[in-house]
Amino acid sequence: MIRIFSLFIGLIFSFPIAGQEIRFIPLDEETSEFLTDVNFQLFHQKKKVFAGITPEKEATILPQIAFDSIVFSKFNFETKGYALDQLNEVIYLKKKIYELDEVVIGEVDQKIALGEHNRILPQSKGMYIPKELTFGILLVNNQPFDMAIENVRWYVKKVTHTTHYRILFYKVVVNKESIEHPYISLFKAIPVYISPIQKLTPKQKNKVETPVSYTLDQGEEILVAFELIDYCDATETVFSPPKEEQTLIKFQCSNETNFYTKYRDIVTQQESEELYNANAWINYDFAFQFFKKPSKSIIRTPAVNLIGRKL
């Protein structure tokens, strides 16, 4: 009788409760990005009883069958297994092999571009060029060689007033203690390059090529940021135009989580003292609040590329 009772208890803890929905959502451990096409296998007493692949945009609901453990696997990620009583609704997988940044080779000048080349969002408001460090794009040289960075390619909406600006590269440290909200401390942002002051002229729009001169070592990571110097009117007099007439940097769709920006508290209207990973934050919130992948129009970043050549 004791053996039968023990067996009954074991079955209770290894079988999902009838009618109870078990679901999970897989995320990248580093970026909180929703992962698609994750293979999972259910086991009962070390025998596989079910296999499936996670859907593209929402949580996976497990079939109501007896199982006591589950294993997750995906190309370029470490395989991970859980006992049923350890299974959480959010599953973090760790990258095993890191892919290189996108590299585009020009047909004529044979230049190398670091960064994304996705659809520019014409209807996006964009961001104003700031007076201080309030946002930036974190780019890394994942090429097997050092690079001579010769210009920064970026995009602006139609310029209303003469705009003087410069571009800065910062050496930064990303704090990843909080998986959901990685951030950069401004106190640890060290400028390693400051470009000469440049000028945007009225009616100028779309692509801008800003000359720079910086050697980006193999594996080196920098935060690319913009700094407003001043605006001038038609008489070249410095003035402060209204907000709607200030210069805006265009945004593009993004597949990355390398856009860092300050956040403004809705209640106090105070800005954060750190730069937070905007898209990682969005990925995390969608996963935990809606159990789904955010739409492509929500994940965006300033359209910025580093253009250079192999050294």
Side-chain angles (χ1 to χ4, degrees):
M1 183 68 179
I2 294 177
R3 290 181 180 178
I4 296 175
F5 179 76
S6 299
L7 177 61
F8 176 72
I9 293 297
L11 290 174
I12 289 178
F13 284 99
S14 63
F15 277 60
I17 299 173
Q20 180 181 3
E21 181 181 278
I22 299 179
R23 64 178 182 174
F24 67 86
I25 184 170
L27 301 182
D28 185 311
E29 183 180 286
E30 183 177 359
T31 66
S32 292
E33 180 182 2
F34 186 106
L35 296 177
T36 60
D37 299 326
V38 175
N39 297 291
F40 65 92
Q41 297 179 327
L42 304 182
F43 291 84
H44 179 59
Q45 297 181 354
K46 298 183 180 181
K47 293 183 179 180
K48 184 169 69 174
V49 294
F50 185 84
I53 301 176
T54 60
E56 183 179 350
K57 296 181 179 180
E58 56 191 18
T60 299
I61 299 176
L62 294 177
Q64 293 190 18
I65 61 176
F67 73 96
D68 51 32
S69 59
I70 184 171
V71 174
F72 301 96
S73 61
K74 180 177 172 63
F75 178 68
N76 280 354
F77 285 81
E78 295 179 0
T79 299
K80 205 164 191 178
Y82 294 92
L84 175 58
D85 58 0
Q86 297 176 330
L87 181 62
N88 296 317
E89 288 189 323
V90 176
I91 303 299
Y92 284 106
L93 299 181
K94 185 176 182 180
K95 278 185 179 176
K96 181 169 52 177
I97 302 173
Y98 289 87
E99 298 179 354
L100 299 179
D101 280 9
E102 181 178 1
V103 177
V104 175
I105 306 297
E107 294 181 357
V108 178
D109 55 12
Q110 296 295 306
K111 300 297 184 182
I112 301 171
L114 298 182
E116 296 182 275
H117 300 265
N118 295 325
R119 182 171 64 88
I120 303 292
L121 298 167
Q123 303 304 320
S124 173
K125 181 181 178 182
M127 292 188 77
Y128 298 104
I129 301 178
K131 277 278 190 180
E132 56 186 16
L133 180 56
T134 58
F135 70 89
I137 311 299
L138 195 63
L139 295 175
V140 59
N141 177 15
N142 271 330
Q143 308 309 309
F145 46 76
D146 297 344
M147 288 182 57
I149 304 301
E150 298 175 342
N151 62 69
V152 177
R153 179 181 298 158
W154 55 296
Y155 296 78
V156 292
K157 295 201 171 184
K158 190 174 181 179
V159 177
T160 304
H161 302 286
T162 298
T163 307
H164 295 103
Y165 71 96
R166 58 186 180 182
I167 293 177
L168 298 89
F169 298 164
Y170 289 89
K171 182 80 68 178
V172 297
V173 176
V174 179
N175 189 314
K176 298 180 180 179
E177 292 181 2
S178 172
I179 295 178
E180 63 272 25
H181 298 147
Y183 67 87
I184 292 172
S185 171
L186 295 182
F187 296 107
K188 296 182 179 180
I190 302 172
V192 292
Y193 175 80
I194 301 175
S195 77
I197 295 176
Q198 303 293 316
K199 180 171 72 172
L200 298 173
T201 57
K203 297 185 179 180
Q204 184 174 352
K205 61 181 179 179
N206 297 326
K207 185 169 68 174
V208 179
E209 301 272 0
T210 300
V212 296
S213 179
Y214 184 76
T215 298
L216 190 63
D217 295 337
Q218 179 184 351
E220 183 179 357
E221 186 176 57
I222 56 171
L223 186 77
V224 182
F226 295 79
E227 180 184 48
L228 174 69
I229 304 302
D230 56 44
Y231 290 101
C232 291
D233 60 18
T235 65
E236 292 297 315
T237 301
V238 174
F239 80 120
S240 296
K243 200 73 173 176
E244 62 271 16
E245 295 179 6
Q246 295 180 17
T247 303
L248 282 166
I249 300 174
K250 283 187 175 184
F251 271 54
Q252 66 178 339
C253 293
S254 177
N255 298 314
E256 304 290 342
T257 51
N258 58 1
F259 170 39
Y260 286 79
T261 182
K262 286 188 174 183
Y263 274 85
R264 186 180 297 276
D265 188 282
I266 297 177
V267 178
T268 66
Q269 290 299 303
Q270 290 185 335
E271 283 190 336
S272 63
E273 295 183 355
E274 299 85 11
L275 303 182
Y276 285 92
N277 190 317
N279 291 333
W281 194 325
I282 292 172
N283 287 333
Y284 179 86
D285 283 353
F286 265 77
F288 276 81
Q289 294 185 30
F290 309 114
F291 278 86
K292 62 186 295 186
K293 181 179 182 178
S295 67
K296 290 185 177 180
S297 62
I298 295 177
I299 302 298
R300 56 185 63 181
T301 186
V304 176
N305 295 111
L306 296 181
I307 311 298
R309 57 182 173 81
K310 175 181 178 181
L311 282 178

